[in-house]
């Protein structure tokens, strides 16, 4: 009989009033068995006791044998040579004379494994001391640079105590970007922690994983200079750096939506620094008692100071300048002034810049190219050569690549031909292309342009040659007494 709560209440009430089981059953019109079941409150309608039956086959002896197999596997530490349920059953039959079924042993092995192992998804809540550690990780995002849609990589860093954040974008995840990102992060936080927690990035790890990781020589030198300990996570163990894993998603949802649009990577990164500062000022982690800003200023006192010497994070090469006044670096070419032809120079490749030096002097700077077979030219590197070889001006690749098409078309209309075009390019180098285009746009449409006209507009004379002076000039009266005495005038 199904007993509802109203009936259960009446049974319990009558029983508390001292009525007998027989009387309660007769009064309520139910069986005495039902009254007996519910009258003393040992059970509740709708609740069933869990069924449990102790196995009569899995006794202490086979159970202990199964556990001994587990212990043996643990001592050997061989993932591919461990006891299976089938192998344990076979050994029980052969060594212990077990007469039960294989399915029984399979179930027992499965149950005992669960009892004596830690669930792989189980996490321990962590707490960090101020200045103890930073967690870092990479993410991906899509942006528009100069109207072109492209994928970039976001470097994320998070202080473990204060949960303050750092986010910057890079073109790639190479070693130069990895080191430069951390260098910028230390500058932003104003110090270096004791430990840096990261995954097993190929640019940082030579071999091994987790606590057995051996860092590359380049990363080991960087860590030694900034005096932090490298802690690498185990493979596929994002939970070991959960703070920064959350930051990767948070920054993409909050800083990259809507899809950012900018003229340069520098502009995007400047905006991200503003976002990080705003996060510091306004954010409070739900599980913390103080704000991120308060915790950061507390933690900053425990960070080690950034070294005075700035570690060189570049990849360095020493190529020879080729016949086209270019040097090859990482499968791409970069121009230098023609006077350095066939000389050996030093190329330093940073995350997004390439610096070229000769005898310690900087001679060229380029935005870094990625991929292969590309060339970055600078018009100023070739202008001296173009003045000597004027006939090549309209076919010169540095001109075609670096000068606006509008300016080249305008140069073709100059009455002096190639020589006038070279003079126009010299003005572009000296004054900037934007200024020359501004002059072009200011001229009336009917005027045939000449370089002299352009120069006139670049060097505007003063409106008048007159010098305006005040009409009121104070003149002091001379004292002639001494002069009169000298001349004998009384």
């Amino acid at each position: 009989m199904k007993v509802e709560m109203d009936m259960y209440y009446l049974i319990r009430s009558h029983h508390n009033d001292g009525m007998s089981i027989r009387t309660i059953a007769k009064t309520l019109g139910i069986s005495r068995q039902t009254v007996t079941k519910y009258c003393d409150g040992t059970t509740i309608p709708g609740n069933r006791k869990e069924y449990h039956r102790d196995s009569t086959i899995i006794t202490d002896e086979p159970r202990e044998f199964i556990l001994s197999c587990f212990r043996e596997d643990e001592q050997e530490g061989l993932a591919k040579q461990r006891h299976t349920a089938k192998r344990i059953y076979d050994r029980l039959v052969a060594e212990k004379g077990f007469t039960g079924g294989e399915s029984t042993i399979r179930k027992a092995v499965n149950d005992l494994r669960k009892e004596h192992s830690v669930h792989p998804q189980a996490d321990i809540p962590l707490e960090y001391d101020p200045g103890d550690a930073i967690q870092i990780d990479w993410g991906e995002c899509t942006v528009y640079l100069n109207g072109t849609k492209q994928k970039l990589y976001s470097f994320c860093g998070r202080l473990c105590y204060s949960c303050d954040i750092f986010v910057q974008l890079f073109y790639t995840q190479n070693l130069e970007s990895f080191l430069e990102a951390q260098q910028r992060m230390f500058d932003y936080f104003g110090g270096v922690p004791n430990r840096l927690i990261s995954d097993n990035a190929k640019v940082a790890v030579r071999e091994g994983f987790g606590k057995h990781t051996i860092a590359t020589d380049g990363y080991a030198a960087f860590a030694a200079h900034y005096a932090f300990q490298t802690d690498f996570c185990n493979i596929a163990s994002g939970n070991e750096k959960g703070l920064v894993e959350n930051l990767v998603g948070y920054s993409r949802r909050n800083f990259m939506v809507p899809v950012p649009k900018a003229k340069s990577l520098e502009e995007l990164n400047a905006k991200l620094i503003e976002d990080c500062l705003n996060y510091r000022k306004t954010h409070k982690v739900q599980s913390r008692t103080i704000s991120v800003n308060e915790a950061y200023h507390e933690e900053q006192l425990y960070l080690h100071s950034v070294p005075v010497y700035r570690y060189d994070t570049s990849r360095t090469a020493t190529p020879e300048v080729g016949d086209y006044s270019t040097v090859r670096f990482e499968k791409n070419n970069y121009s230098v002034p023609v006077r350095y032809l066939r000389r050996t120079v030093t190329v330093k490749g940073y995350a997004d810049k390439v610096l070229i030096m000769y005898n310690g002097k900087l001679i060229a700077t380029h935005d870094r190219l990625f991929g292969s077979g590309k060339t970055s030219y600078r018009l100023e590197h070739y202008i001296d050569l173009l003045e000597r070889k004027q006939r090549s001006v309209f076919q010169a690749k540095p001109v075609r690549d670096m000068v606006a098409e509008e300016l080249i078309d305008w140069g073709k209309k100059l009455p002096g031909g190639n020589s006038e075009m070279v003079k126009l390019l010299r003005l572009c180098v000296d004054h900037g292309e934007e200024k020359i285009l501004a002059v072009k746009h200011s001229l009336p449409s009917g005027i045939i342009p000449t370089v002299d006209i352009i120069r006139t507009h670049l060097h505007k004379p003063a409106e008048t040659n007159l010098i305006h002076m005040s009409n009121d000039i104070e003149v002091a009266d001379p004292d002639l007494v001494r002069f009169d005495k000298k001349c004998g005038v009384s």
Side-chain angles (χ1 to χ4, degrees), residues 9-201:
Y9 167 72
L10 293 174
I11 295 172
R12 294 281 295 124
S13 297
H14 291 325
H15 178 74
N16 289 338
D17 291 340
M19 293 179 62
S20 65
I21 292 176
R22 181 188 295 272
T23 305
I24 295 173
K26 187 174 181 181
T27 302
L28 299 179
I30 57 177
S31 67
R32 281 179 288 173
Q33 290 84 350
T34 302
V35 176
T36 303
K37 182 179 180 181
Y38 294 112
C39 66
D40 57 1
T42 55
T43 185
I44 298 176
N47 282 10
R48 291 187 177 182
K49 291 183 179 180
E50 292 186 6
Y51 174 78
H52 175 74
R53 180 176 68 88
D54 292 331
S55 173
T56 56
I57 300 176
I58 300 300
T59 58
D60 290 342
E61 186 179 0
R63 177 186 176 88
E64 182 56 36
F65 183 84
I66 294 171
L67 293 176
S68 69
C69 292
F70 292 168
R71 288 191 292 270
E72 185 178 340
D73 290 340
E74 190 174 345
Q75 289 172 1
E76 294 295 340
L78 301 174
K80 295 183 178 181
Q81 289 178 244
R82 301 172 71 89
H83 282 87
T84 63
K86 175 67 166 60
R87 180 58 185 149
I88 292 175
Y89 170 74
D90 290 342
R91 287 190 61 189
L92 276 170
V93 172
E95 299 174 25
K96 301 295 182 181
F98 182 73
T99 57
E102 183 180 336
S103 61
T104 304
I105 296 302
R106 285 185 179 277
K107 184 178 183 307
V109 169
N110 185 49
D111 292 341
L112 289 172
R113 280 196 199 279
K114 291 178 181 178
E115 289 180 16
H116 293 81
S117 64
V118 178
H119 196 283
Q121 301 301 321
D123 289 334
I124 297 176
L126 303 177
E127 184 177 70
Y128 295 88
D129 294 327
D132 178 26
I134 285 179
Q135 296 180 6
I136 63 171
D137 200 8
W138 288 99
E140 294 182 2
C141 65
T142 300
V143 302
Y144 287 95
L145 287 180
N146 274 330
T148 302
K149 188 177 183 180
Q150 63 184 97
K151 182 176 76 172
L152 296 179
Y153 297 92
S154 61
F155 175 87
C156 299
R158 197 169 198 179
L159 287 167
C160 294
Y161 174 76
S162 63
C163 289
D164 196 20
I165 66 172
F166 173 81
V167 182
Q168 289 282 270
L169 296 178
F170 293 86
Y171 289 112
T172 183
Q173 298 183 43
N174 59 15
L175 179 61
E176 303 91 282
S177 300
F178 187 62
L179 298 183
E180 189 172 323
Q182 294 175 54
Q183 197 172 61
R184 292 186 200 176
M185 178 179 67
F186 297 147
D187 292 339
Y188 174 78
F189 287 135
V192 184
N194 295 323
R195 297 185 298 137
L196 193 144
I197 304 171
S198 68
D199 56 16
N200 291 266

Side-chain angles (χ1 to χ4, degrees), residues 233-249:
C233 300
N234 290 304
I235 297 174
S237 298
N239 58 294
E240 295 182 9
K241 50 181 176 60
L243 288 173
V244 75
E245 291 278 347
N246 292 336
L247 174 59
V248 171

Side-chain angles (χ1 to χ4, degrees), residues 414-434:
L414 296 173
N418 291 352
S419 62
E420 287 286 285
M421 181 62 188
V422 172
K423 293 177 182 178
L424 180 65
L425 293 178
R426 172 60 78 175
L427 292 178
C428 288
V429 171
D430 293 342
H431 299 277
E433 189 178 280
E434 291 183 359

Side-chain angles (χ1 to χ4, degrees), residues 311-341:
Y311 188 91
D312 187 359
T313 60
S314 67
R315 185 186 297 272
T316 304
T318 54
E320 184 180 273
V321 179
D323 290 345
Y324 293 115
S325 297
T326 59
V327 293
R328 192 161 183 82
F329 177 73
E330 293 286 305
K331 302 180 182 180
N332 293 298
N333 301 306
Y334 300 89
S335 69
V336 299
V338 293
R339 60 182 175 275
Y340 296 101
L341 191 71

